[in-house]
Amino acid sequence: MIKNNLIRAAIVATLLFLFASVSFAQTTKSNIEKMSGWQSCSVCAGAHGNGATVSHSMIQGISSPSMGGTSAEYKISGKARYGAALWWKQLGAEPNAHNFQYDLYYYLKDPTASQALEFDVNQSVNGHRFVFGTQCNIASHTYDVWSVATRWTHTGIACSAPTAYKWNHLTLELQRTSSNKVSFISVTINGAKHYINRSYSPESSGATELNVAFQMDGNRTMTAYQTWLENVSLKYW
């Protein structure tokens, strides 16, 4: 019975997402990694926004590795254990957007140096901030989602260390519900789709904005490493 209920819930979530897809005009921001105006920090990437200062950078227009165009290279290094860096790109104010599809490819040469890779969509509207925070928790071999109440929560969806020297494809389906909830619908990793079906309350915010974000977490010994992103896009409606 529990299994049947989970399957039924997954089907309903998908139908609602697909219905929304055809009912309203869509906007797609493509090749976001090539856009100017990316911002970053390391201190804000730590727990409660109080992390360590680590060296980090983003370099655009990388020809190799690439899937045929150019990629963006993200780097972190330092001495602080489990240091992290966060990058984000503001995409303007989109208060009418309720559904989001975040799609990208990522590439690592040394996946063992990464504690986790975080991929987020953030929307602030009508006094609320909807944090669609997700991460491939490489150290724990699971995919996690974020809520203001519970912080990171394991979903039970496997997310082991990515294969080195290979492009990995990630797609997230997310929704700001009519009841003002942060709803995680699904994650697709290299073609394998998994339903998350978790909803949480938003935070408070006076801003009006929409952005995508990417975070790299270092391991215990803070081994320096790089991640390359390409074909980063956000579809919303």
Side-chain angles (χ1 to χ4, degrees):
M1 180 65 70
I2 294 176
K3 182 177 180 181
N4 289 338
N5 288 339
L6 290 174
I7 293 173
R8 189 177 298 111
I11 293 173
V12 170
T14 301
L15 289 175
L16 289 173
F17 193 82
L18 292 174
F19 175 77
S21 298
V22 300
S23 299
F24 303 97
Q26 297 179 358
T27 298
T28 301
K29 302 289 188 180
S30 301
N31 298 316
I32 300 174
E33 79 282 2
K34 294 180 171 63
M35 294 181 180
S36 60
W38 278 81
Q39 301 176 67
S40 67
C41 70
S42 57
V43 173
C44 74
H48 308 289
N50 190 30
T53 299
V54 302
S55 177
H56 62 284
S57 64
M58 173 189 179
I59 304 173
Q60 295 171 305
I62 302 297
S63 59
S64 180
S66 173
M67 295 186 296
T70 60
S71 63
E73 179 185 37
Y74 301 77
K75 299 181 181 180
I76 63 169
S77 62
K79 296 182 179 180
R81 293 189 305 171
Y82 304 115
L86 173 70
W87 293 264
W88 68 94
K89 175 67 179 98
Q90 296 288 0
L91 299 173
E94 298 290 348
N96 295 321
H98 284 78
N99 304 278
F100 308 93
Q101 183 173 296
Y102 190 18
D103 192 272
L104 57 89
Y105 289 81
Y106 64 96
Y107 181 105
L108 296 97
K109 292 182 179 179
D110 185 10
T112 62
S114 177
Q115 185 77 5
L117 295 175
E118 182 177 337
F119 307 93
D120 310 328
V121 175
N122 301 291
Q123 184 188 38
S124 295
V125 61
N126 299 331
H128 300 294
R129 183 168 187 257
F130 300 84
V131 180
F132 299 96
T134 77
Q135 69 174 7
C136 177
N137 189 332
I138 295 172
S140 297
H141 312 295
T142 184
Y143 216 86
D144 297 342
V145 295
W146 169 268
S147 79
V148 64
T150 61
R151 304 293 170 176
W152 288 113
T153 300
H154 296 334
T155 63
I157 298 169
C159 196
S160 301
T163 303
Y165 298 95
K166 177 184 176 182
W167 285 101
N168 297 273
H169 188 195
L170 175 73
T171 304
L172 295 166
E173 292 179 337
L174 314 158
Q175 186 176 71
R176 170 166 63 97
T177 70
S178 58
S179 58
N180 270 343
K181 295 291 186 180
V182 177
S183 179
F184 298 90
I185 296 174
S186 68
V187 56
T188 303
I189 306 171
N190 293 327
K193 187 169 187 175
H194 307 275
Y195 289 96
I196 303 172
N197 292 328
R198 293 173 184 253
S199 297
Y200 302 100
S201 297
E203 304 175 7
S204 297
S205 173
T208 302
E209 62 182 359
L210 176 65
N211 65 63
V212 296
F214 169 61
Q215 179 168 317
M216 295 167 61
D217 293 353
N219 60 16
R220 180 182 177 87
T221 60
M222 199 54 197
T223 305
Y225 74 102
Q226 303 108 311
T227 307
W228 289 264
L229 300 185
E230 193 166 350
N231 291 347
V232 179
S233 69
L234 180 69
K235 181 188 296 182
Y236 54 89
W237 58 96

